[in-house]
Amino acid sequence: AIQLTQSPSSLSASMGDRVTISCRASQAFSNDLAWYQQKPGQPPKLLIYDDSSLVSGVPSRFSGSGSGTDFTLTISSLQPEDVATYYCQQSKNYPYSFGQGTKLEIK
Amino acid sequence: EVQLVQSGPEVKKPGESLKISCKGSGYSFSNYWIGWVRQMPGKGLEWMGIIYPADSNAKYSPSFQGQVTMSVDKSMSTAYLQWSRVKASDTAMYYCARNPTGAFDVWGRGTMVTVSS
């Protein structure tokens, strides 16, 4: 099974900062990674699919990159509404799997 | 509008059976995989499995194989997740989500399951 390890586990940044979250996979793949945002009390929301494709309606400050075993979610300019926990998920092999999450807070 | 509407919260005693539901609308239910995701209190997301409504082909995570059963009723556009005997460790929020290409693009609001004696 493919294991996904996110770093950092938590992150505090200032408004307007550029934020990057890493997702490292135990096996290489491409076009099979998604990123989700989950706010307290809400279901997760798909932000990025196929490594780097932005879901319609998601602000353009969010972007995804990477391939092989290393993937990154970038928020170009942090906004207050971006406070949430972020998860990566692979769909290369069954069982699909999620990273453990990265909790993002505002300083 | 594409929607997944999940059944309401459940409170069960250990050893009881349980079946929760997820009703799809606004799209061709049979033609999209439906997945289930567990989130224990204060914890992360766990991929439980997915099922294809057209033929009930199901893929389970080894962590949940034998512990739960996924099923569908195409005529009702509804997916189900069931337990024969729940345990306290099954206490969690359970989400269903549509899975067209690997990523979950539409999510239900979740069903909170509490198991306590």
Side-chain angles (χ1 to χ4, degrees), chain A residues 60-71:
Chain A
S60 58
R61 63 180 180 273
F62 291 92
S63 63
S65 62
S67 65
T69 59
D70 292 303
F71 301 88

Side-chain angles (χ1 to χ4, degrees), chain B residues 45-57:
Chain B
L45 305 175
E46 298 175 88
W47 190 88
M48 300 177 71
I50 54 174
I51 186 166
Y52 192 63
D55 60 6
S56 293
N57 182 18

Side-chain angles (χ1 to χ4, degrees), chain A residues 3-12 19-24 33-39 44 47 73 82-90 97-105, chain B residues 37-40 42-47:
Chain A
Q3 310 296 323
L4 298 178
T5 303
Q6 290 182 229
S7 60
S9 296
S10 63
L11 172 59
S12 182
V19 172
T20 60
I21 297 171
S22 170
C23 179
R24 177 161 288 177
L33 193 93
W35 289 96
Y36 301 87
Q37 175 193 66
Q38 187 179 31
K39 297 181 179 180
L47 300 175
L73 174 70
D82 300 335
V83 169
T85 301
Y86 293 84
Y87 296 92
C88 57
Q89 179 237 321
Q90 65 83 18
S97 50
F98 292 95
Q100 82 278 15
T102 295
K103 187 173 184 178
L104 176 59
E105 297 174 331
Chain B
V37 175
R38 183 175 80 174
Q39 188 165 39
M40 300 177 78
K43 302 298 183 183
L45 305 175
E46 298 175 88
W47 190 88

Side-chain angles (χ1 to χ4, degrees), chain A residues 2 25-30 32 67-71 92-93:
Chain A
I2 296 177
S26 59
Q27 299 175 33
F29 57 84
S30 64
D32 293 306
S67 65
T69 59
D70 292 303
F71 301 88
K92 172 62 177 176
N93 290 334

